[in-house]
Amino acid sequence: MWKSRAQRLTDSSAAMKKMQKNIRVLYFASDCAEPYVEIITVKDSKRRLSLCDSVESEVDETEFQEVEDDFPVLSHASQLLDDFHLQKIAANLPPRTQGYPWHLVYSTINHGSSLKTLYRNMADLDSPVLLVIRDMHKKVFGAFCSDPFRVSKYCYGTGETFLFSFNPDFQQYRWSGENSYFVSGNWESLQIGGGGAGFALWLDADLYHGASFSCPTFRNAPLSTNEDFIVQDVEVWTVQN
């Protein structure tokens, strides 16, 4: 039997009043002979919301865990590296060093400006080291070296060694494979990279004067603001278990 629009609305209203309290009406079709509804129980609605919240919580927790995993634990507060520096460097370290704490071996603030002291503090080390430099222009740069710094007649190190700088974004220069002039040290200076017109990184005995040039070992751009620079501070960290 055909019903008028007013009668259909009246019937729909009556139907809604008869609905159970645990049922929520989402919509009514407007131009049909009989009202069409899609219903969802409050219990199901709560369950779906709970599932959504759980998934979002798991995503947030995973993202937080990834950030935590990339962030190193330091034995001392660094005066040169902020959180951005630490996360970028840690994410690019060799797998064998991932997850281990960083120990401060040497700093000009704590130990004075002396290459001899730097060598002496590493005499008993047998683990990779991270050299961090800040020049007078506040630029931060340095090198990760597969072996601790020492006085040596010949170059030492492996292809794990790399250079880095923040300009202000993170720049990394890995081994090119062209030569193996990774690290060389004597009482007068410390040199990293070579084979061209100059060293990729050079520091004098007082850790005051430094230089950085492009070189074949890493095919790097100069790390410092100028090729010749004045050192403001130096830190050396070791990454070990």
Side-chain angles (χ1 to χ4, degrees):
M1 179 180 178
W2 182 87
K3 295 182 180 181
S4 67
R5 181 180 177 83
Q7 288 176 321
R8 293 202 305 271
L9 291 175
T10 300
D11 292 344
S12 297
S13 178
M16 288 184 66
K17 292 179 180 178
K18 294 179 182 179
M19 292 272 183
Q20 298 178 22
K21 292 182 180 180
N22 66 337
I23 295 178
R24 179 160 55 91
V25 177
L26 297 184
Y27 67 86
F28 277 85
S30 60
D31 295 322
C32 299
E34 297 294 337
Y36 283 82
V37 298
E38 180 179 337
I39 60 176
I40 180 171
T41 64
V42 174
K43 181 178 180 181
D44 287 342
S45 177
K46 289 181 178 179
R47 183 176 62 82
R48 293 179 187 180
L49 286 174
S50 177
L51 286 174
C52 290
D53 291 343
S54 177
V55 171
E56 290 178 359
S57 176
E58 289 178 2
V59 171
D60 292 343
E61 185 176 346
T62 300
E63 291 177 349
F64 177 76
Q65 186 65 41
E66 287 176 353
V67 172
E68 286 293 306
D69 289 344
D70 287 341
F71 205 83
V73 176
L74 307 185
S75 63
H76 298 75
S78 174
Q79 302 302 311
L80 307 184
L81 300 172
D82 60 24
D83 289 352
F84 174 73
H85 297 142
L86 290 169
Q87 188 173 359
K88 289 295 184 181
I89 294 172
N92 287 277
L93 294 180
R96 69 186 178 103
T97 67
Q98 296 286 349
Y100 292 118
W102 295 12
H103 299 279
L104 184 65
V105 179
Y106 170 86
S107 76
T108 49
I109 294 174
N110 296 333
H111 304 102
S113 297
S114 169
L115 185 58
K116 288 183 179 180
T117 302
L118 185 153
Y119 287 142
R120 184 169 61 248
N121 287 10
M122 298 188 190
D124 298 325
L125 287 183
D126 185 23
S127 57
V129 293
L130 181 74
L131 169 67
V132 185
I133 301 168
R134 181 168 61 193
D135 66 18
M136 287 298 184
H137 295 279
K138 308 298 183 182
K139 186 172 182 180
V140 175
F141 53 93
F144 172 84
C145 299
S146 59
D147 299 82
F149 301 127
R150 63 180 185 270
V151 175
S152 175
K153 185 177 180 180
Y154 304 103
C155 291
Y156 56 90
T158 71
E160 287 183 326
T161 303
F162 66 83
L163 308 173
F164 66 88
S165 67
F166 291 90
N167 194 28
D169 294 330
F170 178 72
Q171 300 289 329
Q172 182 185 36
Y173 303 97
R174 292 193 176 275
W175 179 41
S176 68
E178 191 165 332
N179 63 47
S180 299
Y181 302 152
F182 297 113
V183 185
S184 179
N186 54 52
W187 296 113
E188 287 73 39
S189 64
L190 175 67
Q191 308 104 35
I192 301 175
F199 301 109
L201 188 55
W202 175 90
L203 295 172
D204 73 353
D206 297 321
L207 301 180
Y208 181 71
H209 291 284
S212 179
F213 299 90
S214 177
C215 80
T217 311
F218 303 101
R219 295 178 184 168
N220 60 287
L223 304 178
S224 52
T225 306
N226 301 308
E227 290 181 337
D228 296 303
F229 62 89
I230 301 298
V231 176
Q232 184 179 72
D233 289 300
V234 173
E235 289 181 350
V236 181
W237 299 81
T238 183
V239 184
Q240 62 182 34
N241 54 15

